[in-house]
Amino acid sequence: MKASSMDTHMGNISIDSEVIAQYAGSVAMECFGIVGMAGVNVKDGLVKLLKMDSMTRGIKVSLHNNKLILSFHVIVSYGVSILAVSDNLISNVKYKVEEFTGIGIEKINIFVEGVRVID
């Protein structure tokens, strides 16, 4: 599924949603307080920390009115302010993904699925 398609003076550019999710996930992992992306098993209600190669399963990318909507399912580090981590995540992802893709971001949803103690 193509997340977006834009026409330029040189032709058409299509960006797959998987590419956007991979880039947004790598940007999110750079943020302080983010342990990783979460995979939620709907049947059992279990949450697990996803490995780096499958972290895009914890990110949903959709397009609405030619703007991106990103939803992150994250696990945060114990003892950090969830509000501060969320604000940092939103500002970093918004700036870097808009710069990377050239597409504006309408909304970023963050779902904190768990907390981990980091040694």
Side-chain angles (χ1 to χ4, degrees):
M1 173 184 110
K2 298 290 180 218
S4 70
S5 180
M6 44 187 157
D7 291 317
T8 67
H9 67 286
M10 299 196 57
N12 188 14
I13 300 171
S14 294
I15 304 173
D16 193 282
S17 60
E18 186 74 17
V19 173
I20 296 171
Q22 186 71 39
Y23 185 74
S26 66
V27 170
M29 290 303 296
E30 295 173 359
C31 295
F32 175 77
I34 299 290
V35 175
M37 297 300 132
V40 180
N41 185 340
V42 177
K43 179 181 164 196
D44 300 329
L46 298 175
V47 175
K48 70 176 186 173
L49 182 64
L50 297 172
K51 294 181 173 65
M52 289 298 284
D53 57 340
S54 62
M55 79 171 137
T56 57
R57 290 190 308 155
I59 303 168
K60 181 181 175 219
V61 178
S62 57
L63 192 66
H64 182 258
N65 295 332
N66 292 325
K67 293 206 177 222
L68 292 172
I69 298 173
L70 302 174
S71 297
F72 290 87
H73 295 268
V74 298
I75 296 176
V76 297
S77 180
Y78 177 80
V80 298
S81 167
I82 293 176
L83 181 61
V85 170
S86 299
D87 286 343
N88 186 24
L89 177 66
I90 289 169
S91 64
N92 284 346
V93 168
K94 182 172 178 16
Y95 174 74
K96 290 185 178 179
V97 171
E98 283 180 346
E99 183 181 296
F100 177 67
T101 62
I103 305 167
I105 293 182
E106 180 177 320
K107 185 173 17 173
I108 297 176
N109 300 311
I110 300 173
F111 301 96
V112 178
E113 301 291 351
V115 176
R116 282 270 167 104
V117 176
I118 303 300
D119 296 331

